[in-house]
Amino acid sequence: MAPKQKGNVDIVAVAKAAKVSPSTVSRTFNHPDLVSPATRKKITRAVQKLGYVRNRAAQMMHGKRSGTIGLVVPTINHAIFAEVIQAFSDAIDQAGFTLLLASHGYDLDREYEMVRKLMEHRVDGVALIGLEHSAATSRLIAQQETPAMAIWNYAEESELPCVGADNRLAGRMAAEHLLELGHRDIGLIFPDTRGNDRAQYRLSSVLEALQESGVSVPEDRMSEAPYSVAQAKQAAIRLLSGSAKPTALLCGNDVIAQGALYGAQKCGLRVPEDVSIIGIGDFKGSADIEPGLTTIRIPAETIGSLAGQRFTDYITSDTREQFRLRCGLERVVRGTTGPAA
Amino acid sequence: MAPKQKGNVDIVAVAKAAKVSPSTVSRTFNHPDLVSPATRKKITRAVQKLGYVRNRAAQMMHGKRSGTIGLVVPTINHAIFAEVIQAFSDAIDQAGFTLLLASHGYDLDREYEMVRKLMEHRVDGVALIGLEHSAATSRLIAQQETPAMAIWNYAEESELPCVGADNRLAGRMAAEHLLELGHRDIGLIFPDTRGNDRAQYRLSSVLEALQESGVSVPEDRMSEAPYSVAQAKQAAIRLLSGSAKPTALLCGNDVIAQGALYGAQKCGLRVPEDVSIIGIGDFKGSADIEPGLTTIRIPAETIGSLAGQRFTDYITSDTREQFRLRCGLERVVRGTTGPAA
DNA sequence: AATAGTATTGCAAACGTTTTCATTAATCTT
DNA sequence: AAGATTAATGAAAACGTTTGCAATACTATT
């Protein structure tokens, strides 16, 4: 029991073991070139032997960066965010940062709490999903002067630096595809748009595009469904079981579209002959469903990666020049859309 | 510009503004009952005005917990982990902890790096997926005396405290279901089992159960597919396109099973009349596919929640009593399995 | 061999908190 | 009303690092 000290292996323990001063140990880590090779070797050996692990919290107290980046998402659970989180995480990891992750369940007040929590940990930056945030959140970010960015949604008028896609355009593209195929009676299934600017933008631009072509969407052609295959399926069944059915269903995202597809099948309708279905997102798996889902592709992985790279650059550079990146959208026509009957 | 000091709002700035000593400010946060209500109010006001945010890194230097828990997963991207991560995150959040997340892409050496990285941030605990880890990782954990646990896999002989399901049993249950239905010619589609004890356990127990019933699985009935609907679909097509087809496909997880289902459909086979398909996991969406996927349900959300609760309890209690929780498995028979032809 | 560099190292202060101890003020006891 | 508690506050040390400055030991120059 004598030689085995408890977990208090700190830089001075290492220094003692290597018979040098703590400063030298510190320098070995931070400015190796200032330390003679021989000393460095001694120290490395001591570090090995004692199993010393650097304490970033202590470093941080010297104005050093914490090496963490906070990401606040509505939810981790959905395919689409999972993909961005993964890509973002990988990208910042590459730059030596670690991810602090929090989710708020589409509640902007909880988002504020989460951002605050992350700031208590002195993250070097905080990334949020979307452009709509509470005033308190914005104030907090400005006040703390913490680098912040928005992911997922692009808008040129955005306050925060952002990397994402233009969700308004996404909605418009989906609508136009249906319009081009001759659909005039279109059903809409969207998630709740409160606190969700992505859905909001998509829905309003769909409505706008439809309007421009003289197509209106009556109340009974609109349905709300959360991000859930099962509930979207139900919503689709409701929309599709009336006597005068819409000839197409435009869905707020691919998960909903997948549910809609199952719903249509359940109603004995052929897709796309009897009813066309289009989603937005192009999630993993959307290509593999039978028939393949027609959708507007949002490059989640690209967005996540790019966001991670740009953000770490932004944080580590001293210039702090703003950035706003728009990632391209792509119409992916597969098997679920066809000409209107 | 005069009154607006830069971001150096620390506890002494607050103290100055409230005309008290830093100690009192600190106490207001940590032991409010030791501070008179009047003083407390003054301080609260100063905190508000200056927008002070506590610095947990600095607190941590006093032996306080960092308030973070590290979670290292193979990947964030898969439905199944996304679900555990969400549940785990929510649970630890409840207890006032924040999640530090890292992924290693099924590479045990990278897992070690990630654990190390997390420890530099002095996480209060680190949770790993599965029970198979490199010796270096185990050594590191032991050496640092950081609380650690395993999620997802249960084994009574586990070194680490664990919360999860018995994957061996899962494999056995899937095999037995097929056996009960009279299947004797069974195709297997599994992911690469290296560095993935979940898959390993499942596969070996499937083989074992089949063996016990005198069913052997020749080389050409086994196929490997990564966690991808598309590639599983291809694998299934390969298995199903010979002249003598297996009457059932047992898949290592639900994503693979979903791909297999599409593959079967692509081959013009009816499910379950011509071929039965069973998965393991019961992912979100498995219930909604047409036909609904028969599978062995692993309660991801329960596991994540329970793990989070138990782990935070474990960390905050001083007793540190080990725990090992086995979460129940459930055979969910839906539409993809039927009696052998 | 003396001078001027230069490379290497150590000392001590600093970072933003918490906490122990001491001090003062206020409230009881009797 | 004096002494004894108790409540509220402050001073200073401590936590594990980093870093500016000073000190020492080399190595070139001449």
Side-chain angles (χ1 to χ4, degrees), chain B residues 11 26 30 52 59 62:
Chain B
I11 207 171
S26 173
N30 302 300
Y52 169 70
Q59 304 188 241
H62 291 266

Side-chain angles (χ1 to χ4, degrees), chain B residues 170-180 186 205-206 209-210 250:
Chain B
R172 173 167 292 271
M173 284 170 74
E176 282 173 354
H177 176 60
L178 257 23
L179 253 10
E180 280 170 24
I186 299 174
S205 64
V206 163
L210 292 179
L250 195 163

